[in-house]
């Protein structure tokens, strides 16, 4: 066992001590996949790398002693390394929790971050930096920092360290009911916490495992610091890997002889069920080394713990391996453990498990009665805690700190608890009426506000109540909604519509349908003298059967509608568009239903998916559809049909795995359908901003072959035209047709129009955006990779000399390697504005080179019946002044249109800026006027 420092003052002492032991223990990262050798770094190596990076941070003036630096990373390794690098530099690391993918929510989170920390640096990767740069935060990328020479290869051991009572680290609350609060940990708190946990749970020789993100207190405090304190191994597993295949939770514990880990109740149930469903079941799973599964984060059902405990024992685990636990971010994760789970609660017939007793020596606890508590039961009330394991307050938020801390150091946890006869704590709920659903917190007020501002017909404002109750089938808490119906909900049809709207709204907020939505008369929803509903009393009435007579039967329950975005009434999978079909097959695998059961406008709403399922679905779609960017979770929540999901994923740039040239951007409308032809890069996303300006019109975009790995590229222009011609006729068998192309797309419009006219079809609109008849002048013969060296001085702060130097430095690289290097040269703002990723750059390179070869061999010929050309100012490398470009170069189209039926439309901006904000508003007006003149 590791010899502990006698008087550790600083959390860096813990890592230094583990490094000094030279026992080879350290961290294992399973980010390469299950069958690959894990990445391993010893505590000694981590300590040395952290000191080197710390010296770089100091030398660059990014971190000073006692200053705060915020870290934000996707991988466990980067989180661990840069946490300790900031700490080694004498700074305070604030480990930021995941920023929402919903733009408005993300903006609020980042504005809150700036309000709390001002100009404190945000350390992140180049890939993630655009998120922070867009909100004007002080971003520093580790790629930039890593290029700096470490002036002092180590941070001086004689540099003054902070005292035990100074702030050591900052984590954030979930912020589900408002902006996240920044929880400050002192060195004393963290050190005393891990000392107490290790002693109380006898973990000195145990390996640890975490599969949740590093910003979570259960990962940072419960696993990471405790393992370092003990000097034992710790294993990090990507969350998504276990969410997709929960049974691997036990396989990892077995393979790496893990002694200590964490799991919330709902995931433990899912993992146990998943393991039992495997062909080999528990065979080969050895859990004899396992001594603690800290189970917290939500209510623990005794039957769940008991069932899982039996499985653990079959695998060789000792009795009472599961420890029902309780804690908060403010208490360094768990501070209560039931050392007799689940036997204690089975013996006492407890439906929900007790969390036992608090850590000895570092905590005191008292129960404080509330005004409406029964005075005859003094052992029930609010849980207050005090001691060394309690946090020092919220950073830069004295109001929130004062709201939960008393002058004599007691913290009001906000949890309602009861002590049983043996002194064990039972949790009964939250003071602020928070619903804990699959480990996530949601405010009753948040759900009620969403319902009452959604404009739902039939719902009486101010008579809505949301609370949670246990759902045996889900093995977790579930939402119950009570509401008073208005006249607009009278009748089965109207009531179904109201219930359907409530279902959708709740689903969007908390990723699950309500267990029950119950309409009640006002007499059963009495208000207090100040006009408030008592959710506690309503919940009690519900759970004792007081509202059973008002639970609606199946004839009034929400039913799937028969009309929606699909517009095809399809009930067979083969009749769906390719992307919808692929989505249905992936989705069905997650919710364990037949893909055909998901067909219909609101079928996904009734699929039975929950928040755990959404996490699995997110990763399954990203992997199955080979999406090169993260799918925002709110996107999944707002989709109630396959058509909804297809449309939203299309806006991200997603396409079917089977190459399909047509991307439907809008499938309904009374106006002439419009086909949009892509520029040289081959993608269709350039059109997305235009869609809102073209209402009531079916719109289909064409995408090039080669944008996704394995597709190959077109074998010349005729191969491309034949493919597009057949695809367009498949979508619209007969004319008239309307085409609009951007740059290279204008060439395609011209050639496709000739093909359709030759087939006897009418083309009523052939539009080209800033494209001359012969594109050699704009696209030229140069390869896309070479072109980038000319573009870099235009879109970055590089000089021509630096760009040429970069060209020489990368001459030996493959195309894939080159585009990885190129990506690092763009600013975060440019990456965000252009929506770039490394795979997208690589794809653009493949497709652009294909299109350039086509252009190099292309000579325009023949004529079409009509053409509309939209003229902007030329780019500098076009080699023509504006007046020459518009009158002579683009004017050359007059020779390729019969009866000179050509119209020229001048639009503001340049070739690149004309269909981007803010100029797109002017362009769309000109475009719509041109369409009207052609009577379409």
């Amino acid at each position: 066992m590791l010899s502990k420092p006698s008087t550790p003052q600083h959390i860096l002492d813990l890592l230094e001590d583990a490094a000094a032991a030279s026992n080879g223990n350290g961290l294992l990262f399973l980010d390469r996949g299950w069958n690959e050798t894990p990445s391993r770094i010893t505590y000694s190596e981590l300590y040395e790398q952290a000191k080197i990076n710390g010296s770089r941070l100091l030398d660059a003036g990014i971190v000073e002693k006692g200053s705060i630096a915020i870290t934000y990373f996707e991988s466990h390794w980067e989180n661990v390394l840069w946490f300790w690098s900031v700490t080694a530099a004498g700074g305070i690391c604030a480990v930021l929790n995941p920023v929402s993918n919903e733009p408005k929510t993300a903006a609020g989170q980042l504005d809150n971050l700036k309000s709390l920390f001002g100009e404190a640096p945000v350390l992140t990767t180049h890939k993630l930096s655009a998120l922070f740069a867009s909100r004007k935060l002080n971003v520093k990328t580790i790629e930039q920092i890593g290029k700096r020479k470490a002036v002092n290869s180590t941070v001086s051991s004689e540099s003054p360290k902070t005292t035990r009572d100074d702030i050591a680290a900052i984590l954030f609350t979930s912020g589900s009911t408002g902006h996240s609060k920044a929880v400050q940990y002192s060195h004393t708190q963290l050190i005393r916490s891990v000392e107490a946990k290790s002693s109380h749970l006898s973990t000195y020789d145990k390996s640890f495992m975490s599969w949740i993100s590093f910003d979570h207190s259960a990962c940072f405090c419960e696993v990471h610091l405790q393992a370092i304190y003990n000097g034992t191994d710790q294993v990090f597993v990507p969350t998504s890997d276990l969410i997709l295949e929960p049974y691997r939770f036990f396989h990892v514990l077995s393979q790496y002889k893990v002694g200590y880990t964490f799991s919330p109740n709902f995931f433990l149930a899912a993992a146990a069920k998943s393991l039992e469903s495997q062909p080999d079941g528990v065979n080969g799973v050895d859990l004899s080394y396992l001594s603690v599964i800290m189970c917290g984060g939500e209510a623990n059902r005794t039957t769940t713990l008991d069932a899982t405990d039996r499985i653990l024992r079959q695998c060789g685990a000792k009795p009472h391996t599961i420890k029902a636990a309780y804690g908060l971010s403010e208490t360094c994760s768990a501070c209560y453990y039931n050392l007799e789970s689940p036997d204690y609660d089975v013996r006492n017939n407890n439906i929900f498990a007790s969390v036992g007793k608090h850590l000895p020596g570092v905590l005191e606890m008292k129960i404080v009665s509330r005004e409406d508590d029964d005075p005859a039961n003094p052992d029930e009330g609010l849980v207050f805690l005090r001691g060394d394991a309690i946090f020092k307050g919220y950073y830069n938020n004295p109001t929130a700190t004062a709201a939960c801390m008393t002058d004599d150091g007691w913290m009001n946890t906000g949890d309602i608890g009861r002590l049983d006869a043996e002194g064990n704590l039972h949790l009964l709920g939250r003071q602020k009426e928070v619903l804990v659903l699959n480990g996530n917190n949601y405010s009753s007020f948040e759900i009620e506000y969403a319902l009452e501002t959604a404009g739902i017909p039939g719902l009486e404002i101010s008579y809505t109540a949301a609370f949670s109750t246990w759902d045996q089938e889900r093995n977790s808490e579930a939402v119950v909604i009570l509401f008073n119906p208005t006249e607009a909900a009278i009748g089965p049809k109207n009531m179904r519509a109201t219930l359907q709207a409530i279902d959708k709204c709740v689903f969007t907020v908390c990723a699950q349908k309500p267990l029950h939505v119950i309409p009640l008369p006002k007499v059963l929803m009495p208000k207090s003298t100040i006009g408030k509903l008592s959710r506690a009393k309503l919940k009690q009435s519900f759970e004792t059967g007081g509202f059973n007579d008002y639970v609606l039967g199946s004839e009034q329950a929400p039913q799937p509608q028969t009309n929606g975005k699909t517009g095809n009434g399809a009930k067979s999978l083969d009749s769906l568009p390719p992307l919808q079909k692929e989505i249905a097959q992936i989705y069905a695998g997650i919710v364990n239903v037949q893909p055909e059961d998901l067909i219909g406008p609101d079928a996904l709403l009734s699929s039975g998916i929950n928040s755990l399922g959404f996490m699995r679905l997110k990763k399954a779609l990203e992997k199955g559809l080979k999406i090169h960017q993260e799918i925002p979770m709110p996107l999944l929540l707002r989709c109630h049909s396959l058509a909804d999901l297809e449309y939203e994923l299309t806006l991200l740039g997603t396409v079917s795995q089977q190459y399909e040239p047509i991307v439907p951007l809008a499938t309904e409308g009374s106006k002439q359908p419009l086909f949009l032809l892509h520029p040289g890069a081959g993608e269709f996303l350039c059109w997305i901003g235009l869609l809102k300006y073209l209402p009531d019109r079916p719109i289909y975009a064409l995408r090039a072959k080669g944008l996704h790995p394995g597709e190959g590229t077109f074998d010349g222009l005729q191969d491309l035209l034949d493919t597009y011609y057949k695809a367009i006729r498949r979508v619209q068998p007969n004319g008239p047709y309307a085409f609009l192309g951007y740059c290279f797309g204008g060439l395609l419009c011209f050639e496709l129009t000739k093909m359709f006219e030759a087939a006897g079809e009418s083309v009523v609109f052939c539009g080209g955006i800033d494209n001359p008849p012969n594109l050699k002048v704009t696209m030229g013969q140069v390869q896309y990779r070479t072109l980038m060296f000319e573009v870099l001085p235009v879109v970055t702060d590089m000089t021509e000399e630096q760009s040429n130097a970069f060209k020489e430095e990368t001459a030996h690289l493959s195309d894939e390697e080159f585009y990885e290097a190129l990506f690092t040269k763009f600013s975060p703002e440019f990456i965000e504005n252009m929506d770039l990723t490394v795979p997208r750059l690589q794809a653009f390179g493949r497709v652009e080179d294909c299109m350039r070869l086509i252009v190099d061999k292309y000579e325009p010929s023949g004529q079409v019946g009509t053409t509309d050309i939209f003229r902007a100012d030329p780019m500098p490398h076009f080699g023509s002044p504006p007046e020459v470009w518009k009158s002579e170069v683009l004017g050359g189209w007059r020779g390729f249109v019969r009866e000179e039926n050509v119209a020229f439309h001048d639009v503001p901006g340049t070739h690149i800026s004309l269909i981007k904000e803010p100029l797109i508003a002017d362009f769309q007006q000109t475009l719509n006027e041109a369409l009207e003149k052609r009577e379409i």
Side-chain angles (χ1 to χ4, degrees):
M1 187 180 75
L2 183 68
S3 174
K4 308 295 187 301
S6 56
T7 56
Q9 296 290 315
H10 192 283
I11 60 170
L12 195 59
D13 292 336
L14 303 180
L15 180 58
E16 185 176 11
D17 190 54
S22 300
N23 54 12
N25 287 340
L27 307 94
L28 291 84
F29 300 93
L30 303 187
D31 51 359
R32 295 177 177 173
W34 299 110
N35 298 320
E36 301 294 331
T37 303
S39 306
R40 182 181 182 90
I41 183 167
T42 66
Y43 289 125
S44 178
E45 291 168 335
L46 173 61
Y47 185 57
E48 290 304 317
Q49 287 195 42
K51 288 193 295 181
I52 291 171
N53 284 338
S55 73
R56 290 183 172 128
L57 293 171
L58 283 169
D59 180 58
I62 297 172
V63 175
E64 299 175 354
K65 181 180 179 295
S67 69
I68 291 174
I70 303 158
T71 57
Y72 190 76
F73 298 102
E74 291 180 316
S75 73
H76 280 299
W77 164 237
E78 288 167 330
N79 270 305
V80 169
L81 174 61
W82 288 96
F83 171 84
W84 288 107
S85 298
V86 172
T87 303
I92 302 167
C93 185
V95 185
L96 184 60
N97 47 9
V99 176
S100 172
N101 287 298
E102 199 283 312
K104 289 184 179 179
T105 304
Q109 289 175 299
L110 296 178
D111 289 346
N112 178 57
L113 192 69
K114 192 164 188 177
S115 175
L116 286 176
F117 297 101
E119 293 300 313
V122 179
L123 309 185
T124 189
T125 61
H126 194 84
K127 173 185 174 183
L128 299 174
S129 60
L131 175 68
F132 301 95
S134 66
R135 304 303 297 182
K136 309 303 181 185
L137 278 86
N138 180 18
V139 186
K140 305 293 182 183
T141 69
I142 58 174
E143 290 86 353
Q144 294 170 327
I145 297 168
K147 294 176 181 177
R148 298 187 65 89
K149 181 180 179 181
V151 178
N152 302 306
S153 61
T154 63
V155 176
S156 173
S157 60
E158 298 180 0
S159 60
K161 289 181 179 179
T162 52
T163 67
R164 287 172 58 95
D165 291 330
D166 286 332
I167 302 304
I170 293 174
L171 298 185
F172 294 81
T173 62
S174 65
S176 64
T177 59
H179 288 311
S180 294
K181 297 186 287 289
V183 179
Q184 300 177 113
Y185 299 102
S186 70
H187 294 276
T188 294
Q189 182 190 7
L190 294 173
I191 293 170
R192 293 285 286 130
S193 173
V194 295
E195 287 176 340
K197 292 176 196 284
S198 297
S199 175
H200 188 58
L201 301 170
S202 300
T203 63
Y204 294 119
D205 59 347
K206 306 298 181 185
S207 295
F208 290 70
M209 187 273 276
S210 179
W211 57 278
I212 55 177
S213 59
F214 189 75
D215 62 275
H216 196 290
S217 62
C219 179
F220 177 69
C221 304
E222 197 76 25
V223 171
H224 181 59
L225 287 185
Q226 192 178 170
I228 290 178
Y229 174 77
N230 293 327
T232 52
D233 279 341
Q234 51 186 298
V235 181
F236 288 96
V237 185
T239 303
S240 59
D241 289 354
L242 295 190
I243 291 297
L244 285 172
E245 299 176 302
Y247 70 90
R248 291 195 181 275
F249 174 72
F250 297 110
H251 285 205
V252 171
L253 298 178
S254 171
Q255 182 175 353
Y256 294 97
K257 300 179 180 180
V258 172
Y260 196 110
T261 191
F262 160 80
S263 172
N265 177 88
F266 80 91
F267 180 77
L268 201 59
K273 182 179 179 180
S274 175
L275 181 65
E276 289 184 311
S277 69
Q278 298 305 304
D280 295 334
V282 301
N283 294 334
V285 179
D286 178 11
L287 301 181
S288 58
Y289 291 87
L290 186 64
S291 65
V292 177
I293 297 181
M294 191 275 275
C295 193
E298 63 174 351
N300 293 311
R301 188 83 168 184
T302 299
T303 54
T304 298
L305 301 188
D306 188 39
T308 307
D309 181 66
R310 287 196 293 270
I311 293 174
L312 295 179
R313 295 194 195 196
Q314 289 179 50
C315 299
K318 303 175 183 64
H320 308 143
T321 293
I322 299 174
K323 307 288 193 292
Y326 164 65
L328 307 162
S329 296
E330 292 84 347
T331 64
C332 295
S333 191
C335 57
Y336 274 78
Y337 301 87
N338 185 338
L339 302 184
E340 298 181 66
S341 291
D343 294 348
Y344 177 84
D345 297 292
V346 171
R347 186 169 64 247
N348 288 281
N349 297 314
N350 294 327
I351 296 176
F352 293 98
S354 158
V355 295
K357 297 179 175 66
H358 62 71
L359 286 170
V362 293
L363 276 182
E364 301 175 76
M365 187 272 283
K366 68 178 180 179
I367 297 291
V368 177
S369 298
R370 299 163 296 164
E371 291 183 5
D372 55 351
D373 284 334
D374 185 356
N377 190 3
D379 291 330
E380 181 176 317
L382 287 169
V383 177
F384 277 65
L385 299 174
R386 182 171 70 177
D388 289 343
I390 303 300
F391 80 132
K392 290 296 182 183
Y394 301 110
Y395 182 81
N396 200 15
N397 196 340
T399 302
T401 301
C404 70
M405 299 295 291
T406 65
D407 292 339
D408 54 351
W410 287 98
M411 181 186 75
N412 178 359
T413 64
D415 289 303
I416 303 167
R418 173 180 61 84
L419 291 176
D420 64 20
E422 298 185 39
N424 291 309
L425 178 63
H426 297 255
L427 297 172
L428 308 177
R430 289 285 296 171
Q431 179 186 17
K432 294 185 178 180
E433 306 195 61
V434 170
L435 292 73
V436 183
L437 308 173
N438 287 338
N440 298 312
N441 294 342
Y442 301 92
S443 165
S444 295
F445 306 105
E446 181 181 9
I447 297 173
E448 292 163 7
Y449 178 79
L451 288 169
E452 295 192 348
T453 58
I456 298 174
L459 183 143
E460 178 73 30
I461 303 301
S462 84
Y463 277 89
T464 309
F467 54 82
S468 61
T469 192
W470 187 262
D471 178 18
Q472 185 67 38
E473 185 175 340
R474 297 179 186 178
N475 218 339
S476 184
E477 295 283 310
V479 185
V480 174
I481 302 295
L482 308 179
F483 76 103
N484 175 244
T486 68
E487 291 183 1
I490 293 176
K493 182 178 179 180
N494 291 337
M495 179 60 76
R496 280 197 299 270
T498 299
L499 299 179
Q500 186 82 47
I502 292 173
D503 273 355
K504 288 183 178 181
C505 186
V506 174
F507 190 83
T508 301
V509 173
C510 55
Q512 64 174 247
K513 280 183 64 177
L515 180 64
H516 291 290
V517 179
I518 305 175
L520 293 175
K522 286 183 179 179
V523 68
L524 294 181
M525 304 181 76
K527 292 186 176 182
S528 67
T529 55
I530 59 173
K532 293 181 64 177
L533 293 172
S534 172
R535 294 173 193 81
K537 292 179 180 178
L538 290 170
K539 178 177 179 178
Q540 183 180 27
S541 295
F542 167 79
E543 293 183 337
T544 55
F547 302 145
N548 286 355
D549 292 342
Y550 295 90
V551 176
L552 298 178
S554 59
E555 71 281 356
Q556 287 184 295
Q559 302 295 323
Q561 301 172 12
T562 57
N563 59 337
K565 287 186 178 180
T566 53
N568 53 22
K571 292 300 179 185
S572 90
L573 210 59
D574 290 337
S575 63
L576 296 178
L579 183 55
Q580 279 193 43
K581 183 177 180 179
E582 292 173 24
I583 293 170
Q585 291 168 330
I586 294 171
Y587 206 119
I590 298 299
V591 296
N592 197 28
V593 301
Q594 292 299 313
E596 290 79 5
D597 294 341
L598 300 175
I599 297 174
D602 290 309
L604 304 188
L605 190 66
S606 305
S607 66
I609 196 167
N610 58 19
S611 58
L612 178 61
F614 273 115
M615 294 174 68
R616 296 177 61 202
L617 176 65
K618 172 177 151 55
K619 293 300 179 182
L621 288 171
E622 289 169 350
K623 180 179 179 180
L625 299 178
K626 298 182 179 178
I627 301 173
H628 296 304
Q629 63 188 101
E630 188 175 2
I631 299 175
M633 188 64 74
L635 180 153
L636 298 178
L637 299 182
R638 64 176 175 259
C639 293
H640 304 148
S641 71
L642 295 174
D644 290 343
L645 195 45
E646 177 194 39
Y647 178 76
E648 294 286 355
L649 291 178
T650 296
L651 296 186
L652 287 182
T654 308
V655 293
S656 57
Q657 285 300 292
Q658 173 189 349
Y659 173 66
E660 168 58 49
I662 299 288
V663 180
L665 301 181
T667 57
E668 296 179 350
S670 62
K671 295 181 180 179
Q672 167 73 42
L674 181 63
F675 290 87
L676 303 176
L677 282 301
H678 57 75
E683 53 87 20
F684 61 89
L685 293 177
C686 60
W687 302 111
I688 297 302
L690 194 59
L691 295 182
K692 63 182 179 181
Y693 298 112
L694 298 170
D696 193 29
R697 186 189 299 276
I699 299 175
Y700 303 94
L702 279 293
R703 74 172 182 97
K705 185 189 293 186
L707 288 172
H708 292 264
E711 286 184 346
T713 53
F714 288 116
D715 185 19
L717 178 60
Q718 197 57 51
D719 180 26
L720 183 157
L721 292 174
D722 289 342
T723 301
Y724 287 4
Y725 178 84
K726 292 174 184 177
I728 292 169
R729 295 218 78 151
R730 189 168 60 248
V731 171
Q732 185 185 335
N734 304 109
Y737 293 92
F739 305 123
L740 175 65
Y742 185 12
C743 189
F744 179 80
L747 178 158
L748 299 181
C749 284
F750 176 67
E751 292 297 330
L752 285 168
T753 296
K754 290 195 300 182
M755 292 177 71
F756 276 94
E757 289 182 343
E761 295 290 351
S762 169
V763 178
V764 291
F765 192 82
C766 174
I769 300 176
D770 216 36
N771 60 298
N774 192 326
L775 278 173
K776 290 181 182 179
V777 67
T778 58
M779 294 185 69
Q781 303 177 34
V782 66
Q783 285 191 335
Y784 187 64
R785 176 168 172 169
T786 306
L787 178 67
M788 287 298 97
F789 299 118
E790 300 177 13
V791 170
L792 279 173
V794 179
V795 299
T796 73
D797 58 2
M798 294 179 70
T799 64
E800 290 187 15
E801 291 75 16
Q802 290 172 324
S803 180
N804 288 331
F806 178 63
K807 179 179 181 180
E808 294 178 6
E809 293 169 7
T810 56
H812 67 287
L813 298 180
S814 66
D815 280 349
E816 286 72 17
E817 293 170 331
F818 167 74
Y819 287 117
E820 289 182 11
L822 176 66
F823 185 79
T824 66
K825 300 302 180 183
F826 298 123
S827 69
E829 293 86 353
F830 184 80
I831 292 171
E832 181 186 39
N833 291 335
M834 301 299 292
D835 196 24
L836 287 183
T837 62
V838 173
R840 185 163 291 172
L841 273 176
Q842 295 171 347
F844 288 169
R846 288 193 299 269
V847 174
E848 277 265 7
D849 283 342
C850 173
M851 302 307 167
R852 288 174 189 282
L853 287 174
I854 289 174
V855 167
D856 186 47
K857 300 175 182 178
Y858 176 73
E859 292 291 341
S861 63
Q863 290 185 323
V864 295
T866 178
T867 290
D868 284 74
I869 301 297
F870 299 86
R871 305 184 297 194
D873 288 336
M875 296 293 290
H877 67 277
F878 287 5
S880 298
E883 60 277 6
V884 174
W885 172 255
K886 293 179 180 180
S887 64
E888 297 181 19
V889 180
L890 294 178
W893 277 109
R894 294 185 180 91
F896 296 92
V897 185
R898 291 189 296 274
E899 300 176 1
E900 294 193 2
N901 189 16
V902 58
F904 295 99
H905 312 276
D906 289 340
V907 293
T910 67
H911 189 81
I912 291 178
S913 65
L914 65 92
I915 61 169
K916 292 183 173 63
E917 295 290 354
L919 298 180
I920 192 171
D922 295 309
F923 174 79
Q924 66 85 19
Q925 184 175 350
T926 304
L927 171 62
N928 277 303
E929 290 172 355
L931 292 170
E932 289 176 10
K933 287 180 181 178
R934 298 293 183 183
E935 298 182 349
I936 58 170

